[in-house]
Amino acid sequence: MELNINGARLQVEADAAMPLLWVLRDLLQMTGTKFGCGIAACGACTVRIDGKAVRSCVTPVGGVGGKAIQTIEGLGTATRPHPLQTAWIAEQVPQCGYCQSGMLMAAAALLERKPKPSDADIDEAMTNICRCGTYQRVRLAIKRAARTKA
């Protein structure tokens, strides 16, 4: 099947029921998207599909053909980071870092939908779990990125 990942069309041989997470990590060696729980509860596996934050651990790859998939590898680059990545560093969000790719993808989907999110918008959109408890820094970073993009 053909997948559109980070703007590139890639061919993969996978069972249609295989979770997108494992296609990304095991078949395509794109390991930025993390496995956390396997039941869509933690958000470590969040990617964007057609701009929406989606938990890839429970998303069958057969359902995403023809859709635009964005992973953390496609959010920004070392020389041109996404405003969220810059804000994440400025606000010192990462601690252990495990949840960060999923958090960033959920935040990117939020800012695309609501360029100037309120605290309530952030609370509603950011359902990812951070074992280090950096939620206040995540909020500050999202607001910083929103100001930068404005």
Side-chain angles (χ1 to χ4, degrees):
M1 86 184 55
E2 183 177 273
L3 299 175
N4 177 2
I5 302 174
N6 300 327
R9 299 210 178 273
L10 304 172
Q11 293 290 327
V12 296
E13 284 189 39
D15 185 284
M18 183 180 215
L20 176 60
L21 173 65
W22 300 120
V23 171
L24 294 171
R25 290 186 61 80
D26 293 349
L27 302 183
L28 297 173
Q29 307 306 307
M30 299 176 78
T31 58
T33 304
K34 304 299 182 199
F35 172 78
C37 66
I39 58 171
C42 75
C45 67
T46 303
V47 298
R48 289 177 31 174
I49 298 177
D50 288 342
K52 295 179 182 162
V54 174
R55 307 286 167 97
S56 65
C57 71
V58 295
T59 302
V61 71
V64 297
K67 297 181 179 181
I69 302 164
Q70 185 185 41
T71 68
I72 191 68
E73 289 92 347
L75 189 62
T77 66
T79 56
R80 280 196 73 193
H82 188 279
L84 277 165
Q85 292 168 314
T86 302
W88 237 244
I89 293 166
E91 296 297 341
Q92 299 180 9
V93 174
Q95 296 298 307
C96 80
Y98 201 81
C99 68
Q100 297 307 301
S101 61
M103 286 270 197
L104 282 160
M105 298 311 292
L110 168 63
L111 289 181
E112 187 172 294
R113 194 176 77 253
K114 295 207 172 191
K116 294 181 181 180
S118 67
D119 284 346
D121 295 330
I122 294 169
D123 291 344
E124 181 181 328
M126 299 304 295
T127 59
N128 303 52
I129 294 172
C130 174
R131 294 180 286 190
C132 300
T134 64
Y135 301 108
Q136 292 306 315
R137 290 180 185 185
V138 167
R139 179 185 310 280
L140 291 171
I142 291 170
K143 289 186 172 197
R144 179 186 287 257
R147 287 191 305 272
T148 301
K149 288 184 83 167

